[in-house]
Amino acid sequence: MVKRSKSSDRWLQRQRKDYFVRQAQEGGHVSRAHFKLEQLDQRFKLVRSRSRILELGAAPGGWTHYLEQRASQGLLIAVDPLPITSAEATHAISGLAGEAEVDDAIDRILDNRSLDLVLSDMAPKISGVRTVDQARAMDLADIALHGASKWLRRGGSMAIKAFQGEGLEAWLKARKTEFERVQMTKPKASRPESREVFIVALGFKGVEAPEIE
């Protein structure tokens, strides 16, 4: 028998105790992430039945499953290099957000149409070095922002995962020139000890984002 590490044991114990993990299992949801998006949607009214949506960092499919139910008459494009659990009608793209091949695939699917909503649940691979991890997280926020500036309609919305740390406040402030309303929030389904937060930006003004350095 393979002996589990202490960190693995702690993770398993936390999973067993986690209310939202249990709710996801009992409700047949792909993951507890379902409840994060559900709570954001309930508060900010992000998703409508005919919404055209781009979801970045979609694997394993917790948000995808929620969006398929809520935007059943709309268009959903889900992007991730890892396998995504999705329905046949969902346009699942295997690749990294921001890559030219992925952008080209999104352009073909949209066929000159714009999006109502850009979502990102992307997170960096954790190295354990906080400054490095925060820099990677901010890079992912910029990738999501460029997706919004490229395809989002005027008046559209964006909601992305971010992590509290250096650079986030300045990044948040800059978005207020591009959206009518910008807010940082932490859903109840996010673990209290996590630095994870979500940036919700409503009312896109059609302002192009600055180039990624």
Side-chain angles (χ1 to χ4, degrees):
M1 180 182 293
V2 177
K3 187 176 181 180
R4 290 196 299 264
S5 66
K6 291 183 179 179
S7 60
S8 295
D9 282 334
R10 286 195 297 270
W11 183 85
L12 287 170
Q13 290 171 11
R14 186 177 66 180
Q15 290 293 97
R16 293 190 188 105
K17 294 178 181 178
D18 191 300
Y19 169 80
F20 290 105
V21 169
R22 295 199 309 272
Q23 288 295 101
Q25 293 169 344
E26 293 170 6
H29 304 306
V30 176
S31 72
R32 71 193 304 280
H34 171 102
F35 298 104
K36 298 178 189 179
L37 181 56
E38 181 180 58
Q39 290 162 9
L40 291 173
D41 187 24
Q42 289 174 346
R43 180 174 177 181
F44 296 100
K45 312 300 181 189
L46 298 172
V47 185
R48 292 174 173 80
S49 62
R50 295 184 181 275
S51 293
R52 292 190 296 272
I53 304 167
L54 172 63
E55 181 194 0
L56 305 175
W63 282 17
T64 308
H65 183 245
Y66 176 83
L67 294 167
E68 288 168 345
Q69 295 176 314
R70 290 280 291 124
S72 58
Q73 300 178 62
L75 173 75
L76 176 58
I77 303 171
V79 177
D80 204 292
L82 298 175
I84 304 166
T85 301
S86 62
E88 186 176 352
T90 296
H91 298 272
I93 299 174
S94 179
L96 292 170
E99 288 187 336
E101 295 83 357
V102 171
D103 283 2
D104 289 344
I106 295 170
D107 279 331
R108 288 194 296 272
I109 294 166
L110 287 177
D111 192 22
N112 294 319
R113 291 172 294 180
S114 57
L115 294 167
D116 299 299
L117 176 63
V118 171
L119 296 170
S120 173
D121 198 29
M122 294 188 293
K125 290 184 179 179
I126 301 301
S127 69
V129 180
R130 185 161 180 165
T131 54
V132 172
D133 294 337
Q134 182 64 13
R136 290 174 177 171
M138 296 309 302
D139 286 343
L140 294 177
D142 282 338
I143 289 170
L145 175 62
H146 271 270
S149 69
K150 184 175 177 66
W151 294 296
L152 201 60
R153 66 169 176 81
R154 288 180 66 88
S157 303
M158 175 181 76
I160 70 169
K161 178 186 287 186
F163 293 86
Q164 293 174 315
E166 185 178 356
L168 183 58
E169 287 295 335
W171 193 93
L172 184 66
K173 183 178 180 180
R175 305 293 71 82
K176 294 180 180 179
T177 64
E178 301 156 4
F179 291 85
E180 296 291 342
R181 178 186 173 195
V182 181
Q183 187 168 336
M184 182 167 64
T185 186
K186 190 177 182 72
K188 289 182 179 179
S190 289
R191 291 190 172 98
E193 70 274 13
S194 171
R195 294 190 298 115
E196 173 188 87
V197 293
F198 287 86
I199 307 300
V200 179
L202 308 175
F204 182 54
K205 299 176 183 179
V207 179
E208 187 173 345
E211 289 296 322
I212 298 176
E213 297 181 358

